[in-house]
Amino acid sequence: MLIKNPRFEISVMNKSQYPKNNLPEIVLAGKSNVGKSSFVNAMINRKSLARTSSAPGKTRQLNFYNMDDKFYFVDLPGYGYSEMSKAEQAKVGASTESYLKSRKNINLIILLIDIRHKPSENDIMMLDFIKHTGKHYIVITSKADKIAKTKVSSYVADIAKILDVPEDLIFAYSSETKLNQEIIWEVIEESLYSIEAE
């Protein structure tokens, strides 16, 4: 998919602030510093539309990125950042849960997991929650360029087993090499068009 004029639109914390234009939404979930911003930038061939940071825990709100008025990438706050206060964690968690449970514009949820590490308890909890929403989802294992090419498939298989997810729902990805980028775009487009047709 060619995106010509992507733009950051709004950061929100509650329902009253969600965009009202009824565009479909592709949601990005994952722990802090897993590479969600890098994923957005790489997918649309931009360097800095989504702000990246070496310090985890910077995203405390839901960030809506408008893709040519076709759909949104929605970047959820990262989880698992221990230096965030318990009160902040509770507030961010409640905002994320409310959005995932109630938002009807969600066409696809993408859970990003660093391929170099086994899924954490938080990753497993997030995926269980995603499954319970009944919404379409896939898992992307980010930072695949950080391991040997010959090991990628075995790492993906291990992650699939831990998460109890079919391997055809997991895609290794690298923002640096664009590994599997075309395939992931195909999955996103299919999710957009299939729900449009329903």
Side-chain angles (χ1 to χ4, degrees):
M1 180 182 288
L2 178 63
I3 302 296
K4 295 181 179 179
N5 296 298
R7 65 184 187 276
F8 168 75
E9 190 161 302
I10 192 171
S11 291
V12 309
M13 281 294 288
N14 56 61
K15 292 181 183 180
S16 65
Q17 299 171 308
Y18 296 163
K20 305 293 194 294
N21 54 18
N22 210 35
L23 290 178
E25 294 165 6
I26 306 298
V27 181
L28 307 175
K31 70 179 183 181
S32 298
N33 216 27
V34 75
K36 292 185 280 96
S37 296
S38 295
F39 173 80
V40 171
N41 290 332
M43 289 292 286
I44 60 175
N45 199 28
R46 296 292 191 277
K47 290 185 177 180
S48 57
L49 177 71
R51 294 181 180 178
T52 60
S53 174
S54 58
K58 290 291 186 182
T59 302
R60 309 278 173 102
Q61 298 178 307
L62 286 73
N63 291 323
F64 285 74
Y65 297 94
N66 188 314
M67 301 292 117
D68 291 349
D69 292 319
K70 295 175 181 175
F71 70 94
Y72 288 105
F73 275 128
V74 183
D75 184 8
L76 299 182
Y79 52 78
Y81 181 54
S82 59
E83 291 189 25
M84 191 186 295
S85 72
K86 287 186 177 180
E88 284 180 305
Q89 288 181 34
K91 186 177 180 181
V92 167
S95 175
T96 299
E97 182 175 332
S98 174
Y99 167 76
L100 291 175
K101 277 185 175 179
S102 66
R103 188 65 165 164
K104 305 213 180 288
N105 300 57
I106 297 173
N107 283 41
L108 179 70
I109 302 174
I110 298 175
L111 176 64
L112 283 89
I113 293 176
D114 189 327
I115 196 170
R116 299 171 297 177
H117 308 297
K118 290 183 178 180
S120 66
E121 285 187 21
N122 284 328
D123 291 324
I124 294 169
M125 287 174 60
M126 174 56 81
L127 183 59
D128 284 344
F129 184 80
I130 289 170
K131 289 178 178 177
H132 279 97
T133 68
K135 300 183 186 335
H136 298 288
Y137 74 90
I138 60 172
V139 176
I140 288 179
T141 57
S142 63
K143 306 186 182 183
D145 59 292
K146 305 296 185 183
I147 63 173
K149 290 181 181 180
T150 54
K151 294 183 178 180
V152 169
S153 60
S154 64
Y155 276 51
V156 167
D158 288 344
I159 290 171
K161 189 176 293 186
I162 293 169
L163 294 178
D164 191 22
V165 169
E167 281 192 50
D168 61 358
L169 291 182
I170 301 188
F171 303 88
Y173 183 73
S174 164
S175 297
E176 297 295 325
T177 67
K178 310 294 178 71
L179 174 67
N180 287 330
Q181 183 159 301
E182 289 186 14
I183 295 172
I184 293 168
W185 266 127
E186 288 174 6
V187 172
I188 290 172
E189 289 186 65
E190 184 178 346
S191 78
L192 295 174
Y193 298 139
S194 64
I195 295 182
E196 273 182 11
E198 289 179 359

